[in-house]
Amino acid sequence: ASTLGASAAEHGRYFGTAIAAGRLNDGTYTTIAGREFNMVTPENEMKWDATEPSQGNFQYGSADQIVNFATSRGMRVRGHALAWHAQQPSWAQGMSGTALRNAMLNHITQVATHFRGKIHSWDVVNEAFADGGSGGRRDSNLQRTGNDWIEAAFRAARAADPNAKLCYNDYNTDNWNDAKTQGVYRMVQDFKSRGVPIDCVGLQSHFTGGSDYPSNYRTTLSSFAALGVDVQITELDIRNANATAYANTVRDCYAVPRCNGITVWGVRDSDSWRSNESPLLFDGSGNKKQAYNSVLSALNEG
Ligand code: G3I
């Protein structure tokens, strides 16, 4: 096939992008997005600060705009993110204990209910593990409500939207040998053994360069999948858009039957949070880059 989404679909996968509501009036942007991708992740619009700016006051305007953009074009949606230590509204940042736990659970229930039936997969909990060698949890106001906050979040999400896949999503969990990867692996293993409702693991995959592409990435994907969860590559971008690393990412996903799909974190380099590193598949003018061609051929090779 001649587009990323159509090629991925021929192999039972999706190929997605992050979308920012503020760019939906840019014709170059919407043309590329509508043509190439069949999955959409709102880049910021479903986060806690955006959807519940004051406690109990829910605002879905920008998120709904993106969901409508996607569904009217036959694209599906990844929800991002219900519970996270960052991008919390200021009223939540200062909370702790039972009040924060209840606010988090209510937030999850309300947001997942609003979008019920429209979300392919939810990032229920984002970035809860610490960087470095500990393999343990990141300190945060949510973590300080009790170590069971993650499973409580997943149970609330399941109750609100029983048909969405529920994912744990993180970065620097690509190299199988990293303590952080192992920590997340042990949590998923524990959740599966105790019946905590988790369906998928999202590997953000913000790669810093060709040489940093982990040679054991496929092992990471297949090891998580062997626990009985799907794996999704959720925020892919690669410094200088190294074409080989991009193609390897596609091949590694395809090698793992439970790798559902790949999402790149933006359309053009100019749309990227790392725009100074030109990490995406389209340049600032919307032209296809070498990395685009290498991804498309890898998708078509199957
Ligand atoms: O919308 C406001 C605007 O009203 C305000 O005037 C302006 C002033 O700073 O800020 C705007 O918000 C910014 C927002 O992006 C929208 O552009 C925030 O400051 C900025 O912090 C925010 O950055 C986002 C970042 O998450 C925040 O943590 C990036 O766009 C987004 O790409 C990035 O995405 C994260 C994933 O959610 C989780 N994984 C890592 C990834 C990259 O950091």
Side-chain angles (χ1 to χ4, degrees), residues 115-225:
F115 294 107
R116 176 164 50 209
K118 297 180 175 171
I119 303 295
H120 174 278
S121 301
W122 262 115
D123 291 331
V124 177
V125 170
N126 194 41
E127 301 177 2
F129 275 73
D131 291 311
S134 77
R137 298 285 182 83
R138 170 196 299 278
D139 179 53
S140 72
N141 60 346
L142 294 170
Q143 179 63 27
R144 290 191 291 271
T145 71
N147 203 51
D148 63 342
W149 74 276
I150 299 182
E151 59 197 86
F154 275 86
R155 292 188 200 283
R158 178 69 97 224
D161 187 354
N163 294 323
K165 293 187 195 203
L166 304 183
C167 304
Y168 176 79
N169 190 53
D170 215 328
Y171 66 90
N172 285 352
T173 46
D174 315 301
N175 188 321
W176 178 239
N177 297 325
D178 283 353
K180 188 172 177 181
T181 311
Q182 293 297 316
V184 173
Y185 179 83
R186 283 191 299 271
M187 179 188 73
V188 175
Q189 191 173 41
D190 170 55
F191 280 11
K192 291 302 285 184
S193 74
R194 290 190 296 114
V196 177
I198 184 168
D199 306 304
C200 38
V201 172
L203 303 181
Q204 294 183 11
S205 307
H206 294 293
F207 294 139
T208 53
S211 58
D212 293 331
Y213 173 80
S215 57
N216 57 24
Y217 188 59
R218 189 178 297 191
T219 301
T220 304
L221 295 170
S222 62
S223 300
F224 277 110

Side-chain angles (χ1 to χ4, degrees), residues 2-46:
S2 62
T3 65
L4 305 171
S7 305
E10 286 178 355
H11 297 91
R13 329 276 174 141
Y14 64 77
F15 203 96
T17 183
I19 289 287
R23 299 191 194 275
L24 289 177
N25 53 6
D26 174 336
T28 307
Y29 181 84
T30 54
T31 299
I32 298 171
R35 185 186 69 218
E36 295 289 341
F37 301 99
N38 57 1
M39 182 71 75
V40 159
T41 306
E43 187 172 359
N44 290 294
E45 293 78 357
M46 287 186 179

